[in-house]
């Protein structure tokens, strides 16, 4: 095992979040009744012609810029031919020798290191429909709602060496497309799909081994498990004297194996040629600049900023930058009250914990960044204690109310009046002479008992620092 | 250029066409004749000549990302040879 | 025979406006003629009698309300090539694979005619999927030439040409990929216009070869064809290759002809006078040029050196594109499906093999071959490069030597049915004069310029610069004006 290394390249399909299809006017929404989002172009009725949805190109350029690609000034849509019932035209419109983006890279964090993974290209293409194969009857049913939904395919260089890197790369891509707001990143629904090309070779070898393509990797976990499995399988074949067959394999999560796909009924010969129905795509500097202006801060940049400017813990930053929604929530809160560490903690522990428990997410969060900032501010200026703050937060989450208002109406303001605290202390001391005795006899552990009693009597509103100080003074006197 | 029957068979398969022996034989002859004829192009020097993709050299035609009404599924059903459960029905896809 | 069918479109327009007859009268006259003669010519695959009569009735209302403000085609019967998709009306492209197919949408050009109030009398026969030059590739029987019913009418827009030549409709639409409007126009002695590529939307024209296909009109005179062209021309958002170029009132423009063509240079390409060409055709063309000289035009000999390669380029490019465009006919979503198929591949192969005719299969196989791995560069790419050279020939001629190019449409007049079917290549070579213009995307007009000794029409082709239909139609019009060779006057002998 140790003598081998794996060489992995990923082809990731990203479904673009446009309203209408790439070449047709039907909706791209998922979940509709079968064949309700079709039109003459989607059905490839005789005489129909495709016209490119401009937003698709804008999105692809955006992605190209975000992944350090070269945006090609001229790119061509080409036809890729194969027969399959869910491919209405008998060809897929895609890009071949002139894709929209070339030669980019993304930086991926793996185990504390940063690894650069090269992108060979990003190209536009259309999705196919869906086929359902019935068990009960020798038929398949074809739904063309998804046919013509815009995709980009991101092809990586064979820079990936193991499953962990592959998983990290996929997560990074998902994070980027979600930051860019060009894809919902939902892997279960197929918005992000991955095929992996895996080969192994002896360490030190310069030639690549025979590669195997693994399809159907529709979760991060599948990507990682399938690659792990495949690497082991290939090494096993080689070390036992066999050779790797170039083939397409399918990940089967039930058995935890990749298995060879039955050889296709039709030989592959895609017969690419430029689609004569569509014109060359010419993108000039102005266009690219305009798209560039719409680019948000990217996760990598946010990560760097949060780490460097706020000196936050890397793990916390990871959580804060996973989604743009979170990082901008954080930014907004920090802009209102400058305590990034505390705000970051509140977001990643209390807020996430609560959202998780409720099974919801930040888009539907009742606690606004303004209110969270205010809450931390109330702690920082001593208006409420950290403990009370949790009660206030719960109330905020339930009602969406502002913490200041909750503190006022519920009378949760922290008591920092020494006179009032002394009164409370005295009451507790008077009521518990035995405990006072044991304290005085040296059993200082009962100190905590007094704190608890005072807190209990005051509903926890007493400033804990002040209480400690005054209680100690009183008991020691 | 002569083309073999084997190649014609392969190309027919790619095209999803089935040819019987007689058709195959005739097709081989006719395609060979045509290929012989078009062979004359090979003698024309074309180095550096840009292939024509659109005769007027125009570029960039787009539509806005606007959803319009889809075809009612009843109309889709009407033209389909076999339509069941709202879907196009075909012999089982294997593999 | 009803005399109404002999009228030109402009005469029909006059009659409709003056109330001499109604649109319903016109529709009935043409429908009767179709009924009486279609069994002979087989020019119509579908006759839309009911539809035509209701459209005509609607046109009559429109005419009575809007009078001369109504669009000029209001109430005028037209025939539509079956290659063009018509909503609710069978559209088969003369192929078994689309037998009975009723499209749920309209071709843009057809829709434009309907919006202008034209009356559709039916869908016309053709070579299957527009592949052919004689109608002998129709799955629904050969179309016969009204000038000699033993001869072909040319193709692929055979039925549309015959409909107009035989008085079944004053106007029709065809499609032209390598000569499919111009050649049948020539064989049937009428006017056919292949517009500049991009002039008319291809949306709803069933694709044969996307980079070459254009829809165009047939008429018995240049004026009629011109006003039909105006009605269908223009940018269409649904066709990326259609172009935003102003559409002129061609009729108005050609009427400006004042009897002189002074300053016009007509190029005569020496490569178009080849061995194997009918002597009578050549003589007729040369004679026509004398007419132009008389009108003050200058005839200049030009050279289009890559002409001889055009057929080879054309058959590679057109077949490659066709193999791709016809991949959609798989029996899944519409059209013919082999009913007994047990497996998917059987369904595909049987549906397509039984659905397509021999010529279509031949072109699909040729096209698939030239696009397949290892051959793309040698064939498809090479052909598109030589195509660039063909285009450059025309460009150079138009820049340096001439304004319009005149050539024969076809090396021969109409040939006998069955004469060329055994040898596809020989059939292809008959397109030698129409194909170069198609490869260059230029507008080409075929006008009748004479009859041969067998009394078959000869066609003159005029080729213009891109989007110069205006000037080109004027040149075409001037010829008829000068010679008074007007086939609408010889129409009677054919009935």
């Amino acid at each position: 095992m140790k003598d081998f290394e794996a060489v992995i390249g990923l082809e990731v399909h990203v479904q673009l979040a446009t309203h209408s299809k790439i070449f047709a006017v039907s909706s791209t929404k998922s979940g509709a009744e079968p064949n309700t989002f079709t039109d003459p172009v989607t059905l490839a009725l005789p005489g129909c012609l495709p016209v490119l949805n401009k937003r698709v190109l804008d999105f692809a350029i955006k992605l190209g810029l975000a992944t350090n690609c070269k945006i090609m000034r001229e790119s061509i849509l080409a036809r890729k031919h194969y027969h399959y019932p869910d491919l209405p035209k008998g060809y897929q419109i895609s890009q071949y020798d002139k894709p929209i983006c070339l030669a980019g890279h993304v930086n991926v964090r793996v185990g504390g290191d940063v690894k650069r993974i090269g992108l060979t290209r990003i190209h536009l293409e259309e999705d196919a429909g869906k086929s359902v194969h019935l068990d009960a009857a020798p038929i398949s049913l074809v739904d063309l709602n998804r046919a013509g939904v815009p995709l980009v395919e991101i092809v990586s260089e064979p820079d990936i060496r193991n499953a962990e890197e592959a998983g990290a790369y996929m997560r990074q891509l998902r994070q980027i497309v979600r930051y860019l707001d060009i894809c919902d990143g939902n892997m279960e629904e197929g918005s992000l799909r991955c095929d992996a090309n895996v080969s192994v070779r002896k360490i030190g070898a310069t030639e690549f081994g025979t590669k195997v393509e693994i399809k159907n990797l529709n979760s991060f976990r599948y990507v990682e498990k399938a690659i792990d499995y495949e690497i082991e399988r290939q090494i096993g074949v080689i070390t036992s004297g066999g050779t790797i067959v170039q083939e397409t394999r399918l990940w089967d999560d039930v058995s935890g194996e990749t298995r060879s796909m039955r050889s296709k009924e039709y030989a592959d010969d895609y017969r690419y040629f430029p689609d004569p129905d569509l014109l060359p795509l010419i993108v000039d500097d102005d266009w690219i600049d305009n798209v560039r202006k719409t680019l948000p801060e990217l996760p990598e940049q946010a990560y760097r900023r949060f780490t460097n400017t706020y000196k936050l813990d890397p793990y916390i930053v990871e959580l804060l930058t996973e989604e743009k929604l979170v990082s901008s929530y954080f930014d907004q809160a920090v802009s209102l009250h400058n305590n990034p560490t505390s705000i970051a903690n509140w977001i990643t522990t209390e807020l996430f914990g609560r959202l998780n428990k409720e099974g919801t997410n930040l888009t539907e969060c009742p606690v606004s960044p303004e209110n969270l900032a205010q809450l931390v501010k109330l702690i920082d200026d001593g208006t409420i204690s950290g403990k009370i703050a949790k009660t206030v937060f719960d109330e905020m989450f339930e009602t969406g109310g502002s913490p200041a208002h909750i503190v006022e109406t519920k009378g949760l303001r922290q008591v920092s009046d020494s006179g009032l605290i002394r009164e409370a202390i005295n009451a507790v001391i008077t009521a518990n002479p035995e405990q006072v005795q044991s304290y005085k006899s040296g059993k200082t552990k009962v100190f905590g008992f007094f704190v608890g009693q005072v807190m209990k009597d005051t509903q926890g509103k007493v400033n804990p620092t002040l209480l400690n100080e005054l209680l100690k003074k009183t008991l020691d006197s | 250029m002569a083309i073999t029957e084997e190649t014609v068979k392969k190309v027919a398969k790619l095209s999803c066409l089935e040819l019987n022996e007689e058709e195959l034989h005739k097709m081989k002859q006719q395609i060979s004749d045509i290929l012989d004829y078009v062979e004359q192009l090979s003698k024309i020097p074309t180095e550096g000549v840009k292939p024509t993709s659109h005769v007027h050299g125009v570029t960039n035609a787009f539509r806005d990302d606007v959803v319009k009404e889809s075809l009612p599924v009843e109309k889709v059903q009407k033209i389909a040879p076999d339509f069941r459960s709202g879907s196009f029905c075909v012999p089982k896809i294997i593999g | 025979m009803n005399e109404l069918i002999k009228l030109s479109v402009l005469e029909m327009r006059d009659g409709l406006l003056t109330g001499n007859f109604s649109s319903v009268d016109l529709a009935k006259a043409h429908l009767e003629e179709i009924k009486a003669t279609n069994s002979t010519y087989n020019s119509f695959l579908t006759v839309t009698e009911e539809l035509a009569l209701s459209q005509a009735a609607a046109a009559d209302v429109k005419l009575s309300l809007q009078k001369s403000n109504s669009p000029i085609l209001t109430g005028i019967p037209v025939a539509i090539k079956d290659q063009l998709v018509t909503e609710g009306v069978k559209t088969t492209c003369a192929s078994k694979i689309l037998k009975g197919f009723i499209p749920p949408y309209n071709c843009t050009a057809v829709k434009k005619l309907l919006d202008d109030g034209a009356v559709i009398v039916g869908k016309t026969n053709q070579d299957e999927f527009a592949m052919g030059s004689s109608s002998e590739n129709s799955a629904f029987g050969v179309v016969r030439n009204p000038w000699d019913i033993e001869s072909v009418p040319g193709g692929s827009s055979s039925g549309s040409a015959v409909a107009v030549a035989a008085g079944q409709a004053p106007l029709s639409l065809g499609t032209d990929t390598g000569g499919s409007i111009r050649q049948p126009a020539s064989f049937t002695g009428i006017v056919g216009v292949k517009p500049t590529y991009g002039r008319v939307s291809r949306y709803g024209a069933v694709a044969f070869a996307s980079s070459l296909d254009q829809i165009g009109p047939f008429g018995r005179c240049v004026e009629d064809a011109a006003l039909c062209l105006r009605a269908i021309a223009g940018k269409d958002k649904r066709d990326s290759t259609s172009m935003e170029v102003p559409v002129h009132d061609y009729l108005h423009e050609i009427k400006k002809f004042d009897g002189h063509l002074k300053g016009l240079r007509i190029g005569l390409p020496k490569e178009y006078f080849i061995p194997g060409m009918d002597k009578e055709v050549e003589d007729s063309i040369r004679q026509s040029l004398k007419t132009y000289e008389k009108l003050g035009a200058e005839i200049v000999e030009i050279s289009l050196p890559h002409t001889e390669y055009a057929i080879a380029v054309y058959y590679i490019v057109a077949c490659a594109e066709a193999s791709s465009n016809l991949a959609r006919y798989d029996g899944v979503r519409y059209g013919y499906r082999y009913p007994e198929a047990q497996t998917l591949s059987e369904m595909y192969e049987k549906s397509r093999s039984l659905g397509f005719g021999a010529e279509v299969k031949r072109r699909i196989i040729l096209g698939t071959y030239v696009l397949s791995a290892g051959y793309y560069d040698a064939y498809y790419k090479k052909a598109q490069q030589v195509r660039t050279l063909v285009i450059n020939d025309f460009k150079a001629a138009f820049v340096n030597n001439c304004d319009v190019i005149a050539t024969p449409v076809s090396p021969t007049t109409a040939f006998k049915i069955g004469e060329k079917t055994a040898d596809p290549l020989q059939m292809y070579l008959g397109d030698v004069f129409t194909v170069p213009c198609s490869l260059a995307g230029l507008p080409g007009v075929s006008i009748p310029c004479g009859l041969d000794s067998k009394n078959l029409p000869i066609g003159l082709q005029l080729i213009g610069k891109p989007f110069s239909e205006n000037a080109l139609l004027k040149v075409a019009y001037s010829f008829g004006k000068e010679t008074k060779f007007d086939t609408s006057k010889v129409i009677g002998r054919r009935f």
Side-chain angles (χ1 to χ4, degrees):
Chain A
M1 282 293 273
K2 276 190 216 130
D3 307 337
F4 287 91
E5 70 167 354
V7 176
I8 302 159
L10 297 188
E11 290 166 11
V12 178
H13 286 91
V14 178
Q15 212 175 71
L16 298 178
T18 56
H19 305 298
S20 62
K21 294 184 177 183
I22 181 168
F23 301 114
V25 296
S26 284
S27 168
T28 55
K29 282 200 191 108
S30 59
E33 289 294 306
N35 294 301
T36 48
F37 290 150
T38 72
D39 52 80
V41 176
T42 301
L43 293 168
L45 294 189
C48 278
L49 297 170
V51 182
L52 179 62
N53 180 342
K54 182 163 180 289
R55 183 167 286 155
V56 172
L57 195 51
D58 284 334
F59 279 6
I61 295 169
K62 216 170 169 181
L63 180 60
L65 291 173
T67 52
N68 312 292
C69 285
K70 201 167 139 196
I71 310 298
M72 302 311 287
R73 301 307 148 114
E74 180 181 1
S75 76
I76 300 282
L77 292 157
R79 296 182 180 180
K80 175 184 181 179
H81 299 83
Y82 62 92
H83 283 278
Y84 206 75
D86 63 17
L87 185 72
K89 294 185 291 295
Y91 57 84
Q92 177 193 34
I93 303 177
S94 178
Q95 295 194 293
Y96 183 51
D97 55 354
K98 288 188 174 174
I100 180 69
C101 305
L102 281 177
H105 67 266
V106 292
N107 295 317
V108 174
R109 288 184 298 278
V110 195
D113 293 330
V114 174
K115 172 155 184 166
R116 172 192 278 220
I117 292 171
L119 303 186
T120 315
R121 56 188 274 156
I122 300 175
H123 69 250
L124 307 173
E125 62 184 34
E126 57 180 338
D127 210 342
K130 267 184 192 163
S131 316
V132 181
H133 316 299
L134 300 190
D135 290 330
I139 54 171
S140 297
L141 296 175
V142 181
D143 170 15
L144 296 178
N145 283 350
R146 210 183 61 188
V149 167
L151 300 176
V152 287
E153 181 175 336
I154 308 170
V155 182
S156 86
E157 290 287 303
D159 289 346
I160 299 165
R161 290 291 169 268
N162 55 49
E164 191 191 0
E165 288 179 10
Y169 168 75
M170 273 299 284
R171 287 187 180 87
Q172 173 82 346
L173 287 185
R174 180 174 183 272
Q175 202 178 13
I176 291 172
V177 297
R178 285 174 56 89
Y179 260 71
L180 296 175
D181 218 6
I182 61 172
C183 169
D184 65 19
N186 189 330
M187 289 192 78
E188 291 87 72
E189 282 182 21
S191 303
L192 211 60
R193 307 198 280 271
C194 176
D195 300 335
N197 289 304
V198 180
S199 66
V200 297
R201 63 178 171 190
K202 277 262 168 68
I203 287 177
T206 49
E207 305 266 301
F208 290 133
T210 305
K211 72 175 180 190
V212 166
E213 186 181 16
I214 315 169
K215 286 195 175 289
N216 198 25
L217 304 174
N218 55 5
S219 82
F220 295 126
R221 207 172 49 88
Y222 289 5
V223 172
E224 291 161 346
K225 282 170 76 178
I227 288 174
D228 272 339
Y229 175 88
E230 184 60 20
I231 292 171
E232 243 178 271
R233 185 189 72 85
Q234 291 188 17
I235 293 172
V237 170
I238 293 170
T239 49
S240 60
T243 48
I244 303 298
V245 185
Q246 179 158 1
E247 62 178 344
T248 301
R249 297 176 75 87
L250 212 59
W251 171 248
D252 182 344
D253 197 54
V254 179
S255 63
E257 297 171 340
T258 64
R259 56 183 165 80
S260 185
M261 276 173 82
R262 199 187 287 236
S263 68
K264 286 189 189 160
E265 288 184 73
Y266 298 96
D268 281 346
D269 186 342
Y270 293 132
R271 291 161 281 141
Y272 282 100
F273 79 104
D275 192 325
D277 289 332
L278 293 156
L279 305 180
L281 310 176
I282 304 297
V283 178
D284 60 13
D285 290 347
D286 280 356
W287 188 340
I288 295 172
D289 286 343
N290 282 333
V291 175
R292 201 188 306 272
K293 278 179 205 148
T294 69
L295 283 183
E297 181 186 47
L298 293 165
E300 199 187 336
Q301 296 161 334
Y303 185 92
R304 236 178 293 138
R305 187 166 57 88
F306 292 173
T307 317
N308 298 342
T309 317
Y310 301 136
K311 312 284 179 228
L312 298 175
D313 178 69
Y315 172 70
I316 300 260
V317 176
E318 204 74 67
L319 292 173
L320 288 178
T321 54
E322 176 135 347
E323 294 197 34
K324 193 173 73 179
L325 213 56
V326 179
S327 58
S328 33
Y329 186 101
F330 171 74
D331 272 331
Q332 229 175 316
V334 171
S335 75
L336 295 167
H337 177 62
N338 190 19
N339 184 349
T341 312
S342 182
I343 287 173
N345 283 331
W346 272 94
I347 291 174
T348 53
T349 53
E350 295 303 322
L351 188 62
F352 281 2
R354 192 62 199 267
L355 288 172
N356 225 350
K357 202 173 128 199
E358 307 292 329
T360 174
N361 59 49
L362 208 51
T363 40
E364 287 155 11
C365 178
V367 178
S368 68
E370 291 80 6
N371 283 346
L372 189 75
Q374 199 181 65
L375 181 69
V376 176
K377 187 162 180 279
L378 291 175
I379 304 167
D380 289 352
D381 66 14
T383 308
I384 53 171
S385 68
K387 191 153 178 256
I388 284 292
K390 291 193 176 152
T391 315
V392 176
F393 177 84
D394 282 342
E395 185 73 15
M396 287 160 68
F397 200 95
E398 295 302 328
T399 64
S402 86
H405 182 76
I406 292 166
V407 167
E408 283 319 313
T409 52
K410 303 241 157 173
L412 298 173
R413 186 176 277 276
Q414 179 162 263
V415 176
S416 300
D417 181 323
S418 319
L420 290 176
I421 298 173
R422 272 201 202 96
E423 258 175 49
I425 291 171
N426 290 338
V428 170
I429 287 177
T430 316
N432 298 285
E434 284 163 38
Q435 273 77 4
V436 177
Q437 256 334 104
S438 20
Y439 181 85
K440 297 227 181 226
S441 68
K443 289 188 180 165
T444 47
K445 269 198 249 164
V446 290
F447 188 82
F449 164 78
F450 292 107
V451 173
Q453 283 302 306
V454 175
M455 281 295 183
K456 199 176 151 200
D457 293 351
T458 59
Q459 292 92 45
K461 283 183 290 186
V462 170
N463 181 326
T465 326
L466 217 52
L467 171 61
N468 274 346
E469 193 185 304
L470 293 173
L471 183 63
K472 201 157 176 2
K473 244 186 223 167
T474 313
L475 286 171
D476 291 351
S477 66
Chain B
M1 197 184 100
I3 183 170
T4 62
E5 283 192 10
E6 206 44 49
T7 307
V8 175
K9 232 184 213 167
K10 207 187 93 195
V11 173
K13 190 84 186 163
L14 263 182
S15 319
C16 280
L17 290 172
E18 190 183 65
L19 302 175
N20 62 35
E21 280 307 307
E22 192 196 328
E23 287 173 313
L24 187 65
H25 187 71
K26 205 163 151 192
M27 190 70 82
K28 173 200 129 65
Q29 200 47 54
Q30 289 168 334
I31 299 280
S32 292
D33 286 352
I34 298 166
L35 290 175
D36 278 343
Y37 176 77
V38 304
E39 190 58 32
Q40 56 175 310
L41 295 186
S42 65
K43 67 180 192 220
I44 309 171
T46 49
E47 218 185 287
V49 177
K50 201 172 185 256
T52 296
S53 62
H54 185 277
V55 281
H56 305 308
V58 290
T59 57
N60 286 5
F62 305 113
R63 44 175 277 273
D64 293 331
D65 183 22
V66 177
V67 175
K68 290 189 188 155
E69 216 178 313
S70 291
L71 208 56
V73 77
E74 307 78 62
K75 287 197 175 184
V76 179
Q77 171 158 23
K78 228 177 187 169
I79 56 173
D82 189 354
F83 203 75
R84 303 181 210 176
S85 315
S87 298
F88 299 100
C89 183
V90 296
K92 195 164 196 160
I93 303 165
I94 311 161
Chain C
M1 182 188 62
N2 191 315
E3 290 298 314
L4 288 180
I5 65 166
K6 287 188 177 180
L7 301 179
S8 74
V9 175
L10 286 175
E11 289 163 341
M12 290 179 188
R13 172 73 173 171
D14 278 348
L16 288 171
L17 289 179
T18 54
N20 284 351
F21 46 81
S22 68
S23 169
V24 170
D25 294 336
L26 276 182
K28 281 183 175 160
H30 287 94
L31 288 166
E32 267 168 38
E33 190 62 22
I34 295 169
K35 262 182 216 163
T37 56
N38 200 42
S39 58
T40 309
Y41 301 136
N42 196 28
S43 43
F44 281 81
L45 293 175
T46 305
V47 181
T48 49
E49 177 164 8
E50 219 172 294
L51 183 71
L53 290 174
S54 76
Q55 286 171 346
D60 281 331
V61 172
K62 206 167 164 184
L63 282 162
S64 70
L65 292 173
Q66 300 176 4
K67 305 208 164 56
S68 62
N69 287 328
S70 60
I72 199 160
L73 292 180
T74 310
I76 304 295
V78 292
I80 308 290
K81 186 179 185 180
D82 215 28
Q83 193 82 4
L84 305 183
V85 162
T86 42
E87 186 174 356
V89 176
K90 251 190 310 187
T91 299
T92 67
C93 300
S95 179
K96 275 191 269 184
I97 210 153
L98 282 176
K99 195 173 175 181
F101 174 61
I102 299 178
Y105 82 103
N106 256 329
C107 168
T108 298
V110 171
K111 185 166 187 306
K112 283 186 154 203
L113 289 182
L114 290 173
D115 289 348
D116 274 3
V119 172
I120 293 179
V121 292
K123 303 293 295 289
T124 60
N125 201 351
Q126 56 170 93
D127 285 294
E128 183 179 3
F129 282 107
M131 298 178 186
S133 318
S134 67
S135 83
E136 290 160 302
N137 298 328
S138 168
F140 307 119
V142 65
V143 182
R144 289 170 184 274
N145 192 327
W147 294 79
D148 167 22
I149 59 166
E150 297 309 320
S151 287
V152 302
S156 65
S157 310
S158 326
S160 281
V162 170
V164 170
Q168 296 170 321
L171 287 177
S172 64
L173 294 186
T175 64
D176 189 314
T177 305
S180 283
I181 289 174
R182 290 159 289 161
Q183 185 251 24
S186 155
F187 279 17
T188 58
I190 60 172
V191 175
V193 181
K194 183 204 93 81
T196 310
Y197 185 80
R199 173 61 94 186
V200 178
S201 168
R202 292 185 296 116
Y203 191 77
V206 177
F208 158 19
S210 313
S211 75
L212 296 155
D213 297 341
Q214 268 292 289
I215 299 172
F218 290 98
R220 283 190 294 267
C221 59
V222 175
E223 297 97 304
D224 288 1
L227 57 88
C228 186
L229 175 62
R230 189 199 180 191
I232 60 171
K235 168 77 186 169
D236 178 10
K237 282 203 160 96
R238 287 196 262 217
D239 174 4
S240 306
T241 64
S242 75
M243 284 175 66
E244 195 82 64
V245 182
V247 177
H248 295 97
D249 182 345
Y250 301 122
L251 184 63
H252 179 75
E253 292 294 321
I254 61 181
K255 289 283 190 188
K256 285 185 188 161
F257 172 66
D258 60 0
H260 294 285
L261 292 173
K262 286 222 169 58
L264 181 81
R265 294 167 305 161
I266 299 179
L268 195 62
K270 61 178 187 208
E271 291 81 2
Y272 280 61
F273 294 89
I274 52 166
M277 178 171 170
D278 263 10
K279 180 80 171 65
E280 287 184 282
V281 171
E282 181 172 350
D283 290 348
S284 176
I285 299 300
R286 293 202 186 275
Q287 195 56 40
S288 308
L289 292 167
K290 291 216 172 94
T291 304
Y292 278 117
E293 269 180 320
K294 249 179 26 198
L295 289 168
E298 183 193 345
I299 309 296
V300 288
E301 183 174 271
I302 60 165
S303 173
L304 302 169
H306 294 91
T307 300
E308 61 173 305
Y309 307 113
I311 294 281
V313 170
Y314 174 80
Y315 277 93
I316 292 172
V317 171
C319 292
E321 292 179 6
S323 72
S324 171
N325 287 329
L326 271 58
R328 67 186 58 193
Y329 305 101
D330 55 9
V332 175
R333 298 164 314 285
Y334 51 82
Y336 173 74
R337 177 191 293 192
Y338 176 64
E340 314 290 323
Q342 298 300 307
T343 66
L344 188 65
S345 62
E346 191 186 4
M347 183 196 81
Y348 278 147
E349 289 177 14
K350 284 270 184 0
S351 302
R352 287 168 63 81
S353 300
L354 296 169
F356 291 134
E359 180 62 26
V360 173
K361 285 189 240 184
R362 192 150 47 234
R363 295 197 195 194
I364 289 174
I365 287 181
L366 180 64
T368 303
Y369 178 74
V370 300
L371 288 175
S372 63
Y375 297 106
Y376 179 86
D377 283 359
Y379 290 110
Y380 189 75
K381 189 178 167 205
K382 184 79 182 182
Q384 289 288 37
Q385 286 177 311
V386 179
R387 183 175 182 184
T388 303
L389 300 177
V390 172
I391 295 173
N392 291 345
D393 284 354
F394 280 109
K395 276 188 185 154
F398 284 129
V399 168
N400 302 320
N401 306 108
C402 60
D403 308 302
V404 168
I405 292 169
T407 80
V409 175
S410 168
T412 66
T413 53
F415 45 87
K416 294 287 182 200
I417 292 167
E419 192 182 318
K420 292 192 181 184
T421 42
D423 188 348
L425 184 58
Q426 282 315 307
M427 187 77 98
Y428 296 175
L429 294 177
D431 300 339
V432 59
F433 299 144
T434 46
V435 153
C437 164
S438 298
L439 289 176
L442 300 172
V445 179
S446 170
I447 52 171
C449 67
L451 296 172
D452 72 1
S453 51
K454 291 172 281 181
N455 207 33
L456 291 172
I458 298 167
L460 170 70
Q461 174 174 239
L462 297 165
I463 300 169
K465 298 171 194 171
F467 301 101
S468 72
E469 283 83 355
N470 217 10
L472 191 63
L473 288 168
K474 193 169 149 189
V475 176
Y477 172 76
S478 66
F479 181 81
K481 261 290 173 219
E482 179 59 20
T483 58
K484 308 283 185 285
F485 182 88
D486 183 349
T487 49
S488 60
K489 298 293 177 285
V490 289
I491 199 167
R493 69 164 291 282
R494 304 199 294 273
F495 297 155

